[in-house]
């Protein structure tokens, strides 16, 4: 695996204009590494097709420092792009004066180290490819999300992704041991260390997790691995309402302890949409319910009685009226079926048509309270709106998604007001309006209203210090216009 060479001070990129830039980049990147005009289309719009203008070009290098340096000299923005599955419009150009820097050709996977529990990878590695590569080694990289067939390591780090196993293994910043980053002036920071404990100063590796490409380009990482579970117990559980689901979640956390690795929820509206639009998907229980939970316990040892723990928990849940129905997966095929029902929730809703997506987190004990209060707000603002909350019960992360009433098109001007009201509610409850997808371009205005001035100023100061010319992904995460920076 080649490491980045420092480009700060290099003479290859002594540029002054955009046309010089395109000539130089196409010259040193070649036809595989430089795309322009119509060829940029597959990279130009975000996954939800809400953001993105045609960029100056798409650079697909095998090393990024020279590209960053050249763009900086020409005053052209650099937009790092991984799998472009982000949901806040952060991996596409906001203005035409930008180069999309795709990591899609930096896909090397190094040797896993079972003693340390780590693996070096390039930032363009697709998450599902890493999962497959680890299978023969009895090790896992425990990040799982619906977009894992496309999302790349650099993008997962850029958004500090969470996913369905964050409850047990943490978010991306908990899974990154070391990083290599190309800074906005082309300097390379080599922090490729493979240790958990490293308190030699500020936690720089964490700074780049969730920075959404605004502070530099992540080029390589050393990721933390865990032993592959040799045993799983999975159940699809029905609860009478959200309050019961939250109470059952609390019970499970105590009963299953460290074995609890998945605690997801979704509701019957979402199941209905998934079944309507995905004809090969079947409903695995006899009767439909109100709220569903997907519970998974895993363990590295085959000697722990996981089925017993889960079976006992279900019995207790039923006795306490928290669970009305449920089924234990009796095979890997059952398990896959249960997970698919959960993971197709976004797709079912997308296929229904227009939607408003919100990514909220609240302290897990307040999840039901949030859903009830949010329903009152949304029903008041948009009578008949179809509300489809689903997500990660274990860590209080709600994908709070809305679809217009049947037969009605458009959310009109209400969309912004609803987003503001939900963000205010989450903030009041001690939660966040941007749980795991970041701010991107879509949520900067929410941050302006719902994060303190001190917090926003700290971020603007960090940005101004590391990227004084605002080359890296301008318009994303932090509004870096100089007049907004206050040092009071
Ligand atoms: C169906 C579906 C389900 C999803 N489920 C989840 C979920 O459960 N949990 C979750 O957290 N997210 C989820 N997401 C959102 C998305 O998959 C994640 O945000 C993911 O981390 C994005 O990875 P990517 O490679 O596609 O990044 P991109 O979209 O390409 O980029 C995302 C951000 O990272 C920056 N970036 C990309 N590469 C680099 C780099 N090398 N260096 C620095 N910055 C970089 C970009 O500039 C941008 O700001 C889902 C998305 C979809 C479509």
């Amino acid at each position: 695996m080649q490491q980045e060479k420092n480009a700060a001070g290099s003479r290859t990129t002594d540029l002054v204009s955009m046309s010089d830039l395109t000539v130089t980049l196409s010259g040193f990147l070649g036809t595989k590494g430089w795309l322009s005009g119509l060829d940029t289309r597959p990279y130009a719009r975000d996954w939800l097709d809400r953001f993105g203008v045609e960029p100056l070009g798409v650079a697909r290098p095998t090393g990024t420092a020279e590209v960053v340096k050249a763009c900086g000299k020409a005053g052209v923005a650099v937009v790092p792009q991984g799998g472009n599955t982000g949901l806040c419009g952060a991996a596409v150009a906001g203005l035409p004066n930008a180069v999309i820097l795709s990591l899609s050709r930096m896909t090397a996977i190094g040797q896993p180290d079972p003693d340390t529990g780590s693996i070096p990878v390039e930032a363009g590695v697709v998450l599902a490819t890493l999962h497959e590569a680890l299978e023969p080694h009895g090790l896992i990289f425990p990040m799982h999300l619906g977009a894992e067939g496309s999302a790349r390591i650099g993008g997962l780090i850029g958004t500090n992704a969470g996913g369905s196993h964050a409850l047990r293994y943490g978010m991306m910043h908990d899974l990154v041991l070391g990083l290599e980053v190309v800074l906005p002036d082309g300097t390379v920071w080599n922090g490729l260390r493979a240790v958990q404990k490293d308190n030699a100063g500020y936690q720089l590796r964490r700074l780049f997790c969730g920075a959404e490409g605004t502070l530099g380009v992540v080029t390589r990482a050393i990721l933390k691995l865990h032993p592959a579970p040799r045993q799983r117990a999975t159940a699809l559980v029905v609860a009478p309402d959200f309050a019961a689901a939250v109470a059952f979640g609390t019970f499970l956390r105590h009963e299953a302890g460290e074995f609890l690795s998945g605690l997801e929820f979704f509701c019957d509206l979402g199941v209905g949409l998934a079944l309507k639009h995905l004809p090969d998907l079947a409903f695995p229980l006899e009767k439909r319910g109100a709220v569903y939970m997907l519970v998974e316990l895993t363990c590295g040892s085959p000697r722990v009685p996981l089925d017993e723990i889960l079976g006992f928990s279900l019995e207790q849940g039923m006795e306490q009226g928290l669970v009305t129905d449920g089924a234990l997966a009796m095979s890997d095929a059952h398990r896959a079926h249960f997970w698919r029902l959960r993971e197709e929730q976004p797709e079912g809703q997308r296929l229904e048509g227009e939607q408003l997506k919100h990514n909220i987190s609240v302290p897990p004990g307040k999840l039901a309270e949030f859903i009830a209060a949010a329903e009152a707000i949304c029903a008041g603002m948009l009578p008949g709106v179809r509300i489809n909350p689903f997500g990660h019960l274990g860590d209080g992360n709600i994908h709070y998604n809305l679809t217009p009433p049947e037969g009605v098109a458009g959310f009109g001007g209400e969309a912004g007001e609803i987003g503001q009201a939900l963000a205010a509610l989450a903030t009041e409850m001690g939660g966040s309006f941007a749980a795991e997808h970041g701010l991107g371009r879509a949520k900067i205005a929410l941050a302006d209203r719902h994060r303190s001035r001190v917090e926003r100023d700290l971020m603007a100061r960090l940005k101004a210090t590391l990227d004084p010319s605002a080359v890296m992904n301008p318009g994303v995460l932090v509004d870096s216009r100089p007049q907004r920076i206050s040092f009071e």
Side-chain angles (χ1 to χ4, degrees):
M1 207 182 293
Q2 288 279 311
Q3 299 205 338
E4 288 278 349
K5 293 190 182 60
N6 273 299
S10 127
R11 298 189 48 192
T12 48
T13 53
D14 210 14
L15 299 168
V16 285
S17 74
M18 281 201 276
S19 57
D20 281 349
L21 177 70
T22 52
V23 170
T24 302
L25 288 181
S26 61
F28 77 74
L29 294 173
T31 46
K32 259 187 170 177
W34 178 251
L35 309 175
S36 57
L38 286 181
D39 292 340
T40 65
R41 286 233 167 129
Y43 301 80
R45 298 286 292 168
D46 75 314
W47 193 81
L48 291 170
D49 200 19
R50 287 185 303 166
F51 295 95
V53 299
E54 187 181 317
L56 199 59
V58 174
R60 300 173 65 239
T62 51
T64 69
E66 289 291 338
V67 178
V68 173
K69 179 83 192 303
C71 290
K73 284 231 164 179
V76 167
V78 177
V79 181
Q81 189 179 94
N84 197 16
T85 67
L87 298 173
C88 295
V92 290
L95 295 165
N97 188 20
V99 165
I100 291 181
L101 177 48
S102 165
L103 278 289
S104 54
R105 287 176 69 212
M106 295 180 61
T107 56
I109 300 180
Q111 271 305 310
D113 173 353
D115 298 327
T116 315
S118 68
I119 187 166
V121 294
E122 283 191 319
V125 169
V126 170
L127 180 57
T129 309
L130 178 61
H131 291 155
E132 280 161 30
L134 286 169
E135 260 170 37
H137 300 277
L139 292 163
I140 54 164
F141 180 63
M143 173 60 58
H144 286 279
L145 39 79
E148 65 192 38
S150 306
R152 297 177 188 269
I153 297 302
L156 295 158
I157 293 172
T159 57
N160 191 25
S164 52
H165 289 55
L167 168 69
R168 174 150 174 197
Y169 297 103
M171 297 178 73
M172 207 56 196
H173 61 198
D174 299 301
L175 296 169
V176 170
L177 293 173
L179 279 185
E180 179 188 81
V181 180
V182 172
L183 300 170
D185 67 353
T187 305
V188 180
W189 171 53
N190 184 336
L192 287 168
R193 290 177 282 270
V195 285
Q196 169 99 349
K197 293 188 172 174
D198 178 17
N199 283 349
Y202 296 124
Q203 296 300 297
L204 293 180
R205 66 183 178 199
R206 288 217 167 203
L207 186 59
F208 292 97
C209 294
E212 299 187 55
T214 60
L215 301 179
V217 186
V218 173
T219 44
R220 285 167 188 78
I222 297 190
L223 302 176
K224 187 172 173 183
L225 302 178
H226 289 261
R230 284 189 287 166
Q231 204 197 153
R232 284 174 203 278
T234 311
L236 183 63
V237 179
V238 184
D241 52 37
F242 287 108
V246 168
F248 186 59
T250 305
F251 173 81
L252 269 173
R253 259 195 291 269
H254 288 270
E255 191 57 38
E258 69 275 23
F259 302 122
L260 184 61
S261 50
L263 180 53
E264 301 283 293
F265 80 98
F266 44 105
C267 65
D268 200 50
L269 176 77
V271 166
L273 294 179
L275 294 173
K276 173 177 167 189
H277 293 292
L278 300 160
D280 64 323
L281 187 66
F283 185 70
L285 302 177
E286 267 179 30
K287 273 197 305 191
R288 299 272 287 271
V291 178
Y292 305 92
M293 284 176 280
L294 199 155
V295 180
E296 189 158 278
L297 315 190
T298 59
C299 180
S301 164
R303 283 171 284 280
V304 174
L306 286 190
D307 284 331
E308 217 176 283
I309 297 171
L310 189 52
F312 172 77
S313 302
L314 287 180
E315 273 169 32
Q316 289 294 306
M318 285 197 162
E319 267 178 33
Q320 293 169 32
L322 305 176
V323 168
T324 54
D325 194 7
L328 287 169
M330 304 308 285
S331 64
D332 283 345
H334 280 168
R335 197 181 333 279
H337 187 172
F338 293 172
W339 271 107
R340 187 166 170 231
L341 196 63
R342 157 65 186 95
E343 278 166 358
E344 296 290 16
Q345 294 300 306
E347 190 60 4
Q349 181 144 29
R350 188 180 73 84
L351 293 170
E352 180 70 3
E354 195 179 359
Q355 54 175 323
L356 273 182
K357 289 168 98 69
H358 305 95
N359 192 228
I360 303 280
S361 66
V362 290
K366 293 190 174 172
L367 186 133
E369 199 185 317
F370 175 88
I371 289 176
E375 186 177 340
I377 291 172
C378 295
M381 284 181 167
L382 276 174
V385 68
R386 287 177 287 165
I387 303 172
N388 184 19
F390 60 88
H392 316 296
L393 186 74
D395 47 35
N397 181 185
I398 311 159
H399 299 282
Y400 196 82
N401 292 353
L402 308 174
T403 292
E406 245 166 312
V408 174
F411 284 101
E414 313 286 356
E417 286 170 35
I418 287 192
Q420 292 287 357
L422 294 176
L425 182 63
T427 307
E428 276 162 29
M429 287 187 169
S432 170
F433 54 87
E436 59 175 8
H437 297 157
L439 295 178
R441 298 180 191 287
K443 291 186 184 160
I444 280 204
L446 286 182
D448 271 354
R449 279 263 297 270
H450 303 283
R451 282 289 154 110
S452 73
R453 184 167 172 181
V454 173
E455 207 163 313
R456 284 181 287 125
D457 281 356
L458 272 174
M459 292 194 202
R461 278 197 258 176
L462 263 174
K463 169 76 176 171
T465 303
L466 293 187
D467 184 18
S469 313
V471 171
M472 292 304 310
N473 220 355
V476 163
L477 192 147
V478 62
D479 188 344
S480 50
R481 282 171 295 170
Q483 68 272 19
R484 295 187 56 82
I485 302 170
S486 135
F487 296 95
E488 286 159 22

